[in-house]
Amino acid sequence: MFDKTIRMRRLRSGDTVRRMVRETRVSPDSLVYPVFIAEGEHIFREIPSLPNQFHYSPDELERLTERLQNHGVSRVLLFGLPAQKDECGSSAWDENGIVQQGIRRLRELMPELYIITDVCMCEYTSHGHCGILCGHEVDNDRTLECLSDIALSHARAGADMVAPSDMMDGRVAAIREKLDQNGFCNIPIMAYSAKFASSFYGPFREAAGSAPAFGDRRAYQMDWHNAREAMRECALDVQEGADIIMVKPALAYLDLIHEAQTRFDLPLAAYAVSGEYAMVKAAAAAGLIDEHGVMCESAVAVFRAGADILITYYACELADAMRRGEIG
């Protein structure tokens, strides 16, 4: 029977009261913007698979910092596109590698910028896999030393945080040990803890030039059927010394974001990946959806599930929406 004393609509009667009683509140401080830095000069080109996202050479990074400052975004996640690749991805830990160049240039342009660096080998290896090969298989333990060297080189170049995305067993512990041994005990690690072998990564692989030359990454990225395994991966990263854990992708894994938030007391990141962004862009271009509305609703869903940090290609637009009070 309808109890007329209970009127749920009372707190929905106007924007002021709706905003007052919101259960999920978000801030531009929670946003991280992925950035692609390409080796070379005078490179500023739109990425075909990711509309309104760009490749920047180090000499063009002022365009990026102007954009970030205009929108009030102060946290980035850097990915590198080297000019040369080899079997072992050696340019990834070169002190003058493309990410290392990018870090130093960004420090000059925007000292207050918080710089997180992706630590992986897929963009740097000629075969496109995330580690050192033994035949057609990635050798987990040989790869750990390379990943540790990459993280150390990023820290030496001035990175504020490193984020291993390779999904090798034991890489958080190996990186923590290498950083600590070299005087970087205060550099945090944001671990891609539950990273799935997802079909949502296609546009990124084009943007980063990181598609594997053969096979796929299912031998090290997770099976998307497995929830309990995802929690084991998170627990192992916590045990090995991760400072932040991550679930990737975001929207198709809201249940796991919620579960991780419930189980672990570390800050939790979620990555709204390239395929999620590209689908919204494509549907909006076809006139099928309200892009701005879907962007806002999707972001709030990730925070509502329990994420503290959202890595998103919509960081600039979301920051504006938050400041205008449209979300948050």
Side-chain angles (χ1 to χ4, degrees), residues 240-254:
E240 290 178 23
D243 299 281
I244 299 172
I245 56 175
M246 185 198 301
V247 174
K248 177 184 178 184
L251 275 185
Y253 299 85
L254 295 178

Side-chain angles (χ1 to χ4, degrees), residues 74-77 107 110-116 160-161 188:
S74 59
R75 296 153 185 84
V76 293
L77 175 60
R107 279 276 168 261
M110 192 175 172
E112 72 275 18
L113 186 65
Y114 194 87
I115 300 174
I116 308 167
D160 294 296
M161 179 185 292

Side-chain angles (χ1 to χ4, degrees), residues 142-217:
R142 286 179 63 200
T143 298
L144 297 184
E145 186 63 30
C146 297
L147 295 169
S148 301
D149 288 341
I150 296 169
L152 179 59
S153 74
H154 290 178
R156 284 175 169 161
D160 294 296
M161 179 185 292
V162 295
S165 62
D166 54 282
M167 287 302 288
M168 297 298 118
D169 292 331
R171 88 273 201 212
V172 172
I175 290 170
R176 183 73 275 156
E177 181 179 15
K178 176 75 77 165
L179 291 174
D180 290 356
Q181 287 175 346
N182 286 273
F184 292 101
C185 59
N186 291 323
I187 296 291
I189 298 173
M190 178 169 66
Y192 287 64
S193 299
K195 179 180 178 181
F196 290 84
S198 172
S199 298
F200 285 95
Y201 300 150
F204 175 91
R205 290 175 181 170
E206 178 186 330
S210 63
F214 61 86
D216 54 43
R217 297 183 176 131

Side-chain angles (χ1 to χ4, degrees), residues 299-319:
V300 169
V302 177
F303 288 115
R304 192 178 63 238
D308 303 295
I309 300 160
L310 177 60
I311 304 164
T312 172
Y313 299 95
Y314 276 122
C316 293
E317 295 86 349
L318 283 168

Side-chain angles (χ1 to χ4, degrees), residues 33-45 54-69 76-80 97-110 113 115:
Y33 186 47
V35 174
F36 298 93
I37 304 180
E39 195 159 6
E41 295 181 342
H42 310 304
I43 298 170
F44 175 66
R45 59 177 178 243
F54 301 89
H55 291 134
Y56 302 88
S57 56
D59 61 312
E60 295 287 347
L61 282 170
E62 190 169 1
R63 295 177 184 267
L64 170 67
T65 55
E66 287 177 358
R67 182 180 190 185
L68 295 173
Q69 289 167 332
V76 293
L77 175 60
L78 301 187
F79 298 91
I98 183 54
V99 166
Q100 293 82 349
Q101 292 179 47
I103 294 168
R104 291 191 288 268
R105 180 60 178 149
L106 288 169
R107 279 276 168 261
E108 295 172 359
L109 293 168
M110 192 175 172
L113 186 65
I115 300 174

Side-chain angles (χ1 to χ4, degrees), residues 36 55 80-82 85 122-128 202-212 217:
F36 298 93
H55 291 134
L81 283 74
K85 304 185 181 190
C122 59
E123 298 109 310
Y124 303 90
T125 55
S126 53
H127 47 74
F204 175 91
R205 290 175 181 170
E206 178 186 330
S210 63
R217 297 183 176 131

Side-chain angles (χ1 to χ4, degrees), residues 133-148:
L133 291 184
C134 180
H136 276 191
E137 299 292 329
V138 174
D139 187 319
N140 189 97
D141 295 357
R142 286 179 63 200
T143 298
L144 297 184
E145 186 63 30
C146 297
L147 295 169
S148 301

